[in-house]
Amino acid sequence: SQYQNTLSYGISAQLNQMAQNKLEGITEIDDKESSTIEAYAQSHVMTAHYGEFVPGLRVQNDSDFGFYSNAKLNWMKDINLLAGVESKLRLSYGQGYRTPDLKQRFYLFDHSNLGYIIQGNENLEPEESNNYNMTLTLKKDNTRLEWSVFYNQYRNKIETVSNGFVDNIEQFQYENVGEAITQGQELSLVLHPIESIYWQQSIAYLDTKNLDTGKRLEDQPLWSYKTQFNYSLTHKLIMSLYGSIEYDTYNGQYDSDGDDVNDTDINAVTKVIQIWDIKASYRIINQVNLYTSIDNLFDQKRSIGYDTVAEVDERTIESRIFNFGINVIF
């Protein structure tokens, strides 16, 4: 046969409810509710000479935002790029659509004791996007190298935006960015030379632009690096290292001269944000695991002495944490 086709389809329904009350008995958010029903269908077509095609369609009806449909098309083909190396090329296009959840619309996340509040926004609109991606995968034995290029167009992208300070407490709110573009590349490498060693790492470049303001999107790092290294001392004892590094995040602007115009870039306390975790697990029997870990190994956490108007510190509020426990699977 020159081609083979597999058809998949389904339907799902979801009900969301939320209420928020203070311990003092004060109702901050009365019962909020939304419901969504979705249906999808996709076809997986495998051809003898032209690769694999996966077209799909999803339709959604939301109790608050009505009906919407979005489509996708994926294509993949084995290519003979290098002798002795398994090579695959993937191209994809997809329409994205996401309704704001109840938390983004109504929730009040009050961390005044830490210097900030995040407020919901009842006027949020659904997020829409057009997404393009190309991925080249090279695999030889237990080594895999992957390069991805992506370009995304957003309308009404939902972001957390600072609206200034009230009594030295920064006021954040979820808001729609009218139109935005994100584009970039990611290079990942997986090394598994012997059974006891597994190392995965990736580096990504992300360029963003708010088309309404001409500025970069806030809270998006220009460069990021992630790694995971596992070493099995025995079949039962595994040591792991996890790392995440982000560099050069845009933090928005503030009003530096009192004319009610945000025209000065907010400085970062540090341009490099990094978190390293180490973990170990020991399998006593198949159903029982002991584990221990140190999260935030180098104790990188938010400073308390920076200028909260002109600066921002995006490091975690969590100090170094030591964990020890047991997992039991029934």
Side-chain angles (χ1 to χ4, degrees):
S1 174
Q2 294 297 307
Y3 73 93
Q4 179 181 347
N5 181 28
T6 303
L7 180 65
S8 303
Y9 52 88
I11 189 170
S12 66
Q14 182 174 322
L15 174 66
N16 303 292
Q17 296 175 312
M18 187 177 75
Q20 183 174 330
N21 303 287
K22 282 191 172 181
L23 293 178
E24 299 85 13
I26 300 173
T27 299
E28 294 182 308
I29 298 175
D30 203 0
D31 294 335
K32 299 294 183 182
E33 183 176 297
S34 69
S35 60
T36 302
I37 185 167
E38 291 185 341
Y40 75 90
Q42 76 172 29
S43 179
H44 186 179
V45 181
M46 302 179 65
T47 69
H49 305 291
Y50 303 106
E52 301 179 29
F53 298 84
V54 184
L57 178 68
R58 180 180 295 271
V59 295
Q60 177 187 102
N61 191 63
D62 186 272
S63 58
D64 293 324
F65 297 99
F67 178 84
Y68 191 84
S69 64
N70 54 337
K72 70 172 185 177
L73 176 62
N74 298 327
W75 171 79
M76 181 185 72
K77 190 177 188 303
D78 293 327
I79 57 176
N80 296 318
L81 193 63
L82 297 171
V85 177
E86 180 183 337
S87 309
K88 293 181 183 292
L89 179 64
R90 295 178 176 88
L91 300 176
S92 67
Y93 165 74
Q95 295 175 320
Y97 180 80
R98 185 175 70 87
T99 58
D101 57 36
L102 292 180
K103 183 188 78 170
Q104 292 171 328
R105 294 167 62 194
F106 302 108
Y107 190 50
L108 174 61
F109 191 71
D110 190 345
H111 263 185
S112 301
N113 59 317
L114 298 174
Y116 69 95
I117 288 176
I118 304 177
Q119 297 177 321
N121 182 354
E122 296 186 37
N123 298 316
L124 285 177
E125 294 293 330
E127 187 177 270
E128 302 177 41
S129 63
N130 289 286
N131 310 297
Y132 305 83
N133 182 274
M134 182 194 74
T135 301
L136 176 64
T137 303
L138 305 177
K139 186 175 184 297
K140 183 174 177 58
D141 300 326
N142 292 321
T143 299
R144 187 178 78 243
L145 179 66
E146 198 163 81
W147 173 53
S148 294
V149 179
F150 57 88
Y151 178 85
N152 306 312
Q153 299 171 311
Y154 288 95
R155 180 174 176 268
N156 292 329
K157 184 173 174 62
I158 298 172
E159 295 286 340
T160 306
V161 177
S162 173
N163 290 324
F165 289 80
V166 175
D167 297 328
N168 289 323
I169 298 174
E170 191 165 10
Q171 308 291 308
F172 290 96
Q173 187 175 44
Y174 294 103
E175 292 184 7
N176 289 115
V177 175
E179 290 187 75
I181 291 173
T182 64
Q183 58 187 339
Q185 304 181 43
E186 182 174 2
L187 186 67
S188 65
L189 176 66
V190 174
L191 300 173
H192 196 10
I194 56 177
E195 185 178 355
S196 60
I197 293 178
Y198 174 86
W199 187 17
Q200 177 179 355
Q201 55 186 327
S202 66
I203 185 169
Y205 169 78
L206 176 65
D207 181 28
T208 67
K209 188 174 184 179
N210 181 335
L211 296 181
D212 291 343
T213 64
K215 299 290 184 180
R216 284 170 55 191
L217 295 178
E218 296 179 22
D219 305 324
Q220 302 290 335
L222 194 64
W223 293 95
S224 60
Y225 171 81
K226 296 183 184 300
T227 187
Q228 175 186 347
F229 181 82
N230 294 345
Y231 179 61
S232 304
L233 279 75
T234 68
H235 288 294
K236 294 185 176 182
L237 179 60
I238 300 176
M239 306 289 293
S240 300
L241 172 69
Y242 297 85
S244 173
I245 302 175
E246 297 180 350
Y247 173 74
D248 196 12
T249 298
Y250 177 65
N251 303 293
Q253 296 183 319
Y254 72 103
D255 176 14
S256 61
D257 51 12
D259 62 354
D260 295 326
V261 176
N262 292 337
D263 52 8
T264 304
D265 286 351
I266 297 174
N267 292 318
V269 170
T270 175
K271 283 186 172 291
V272 179
I273 299 172
Q274 58 177 321
I275 296 293
W276 294 89
D277 305 330
I278 57 173
K279 302 183 180 184
S281 65
Y282 181 76
R283 187 176 73 252
I284 300 175
I285 57 176
N286 287 338
Q287 292 79 23
V288 180
N289 277 327
L290 291 176
Y291 68 89
T292 185
S293 67
I294 305 176
D295 297 341
N296 194 2
L297 179 64
F298 298 112
D299 200 22
Q300 294 287 309
K301 61 182 183 293
R302 187 173 301 172
S303 170
I304 60 173
Y306 64 95
D307 182 346
T308 55
V309 174
E311 294 181 310
V312 67
D313 191 345
E314 292 193 331
R315 290 175 294 183
T316 178
I317 61 173
E318 299 284 354
S319 298
R320 185 187 298 117
I321 300 175
F322 296 86
N323 300 291
F324 180 79
I326 184 170
N327 287 328
V328 180
I329 302 174
F330 295 96

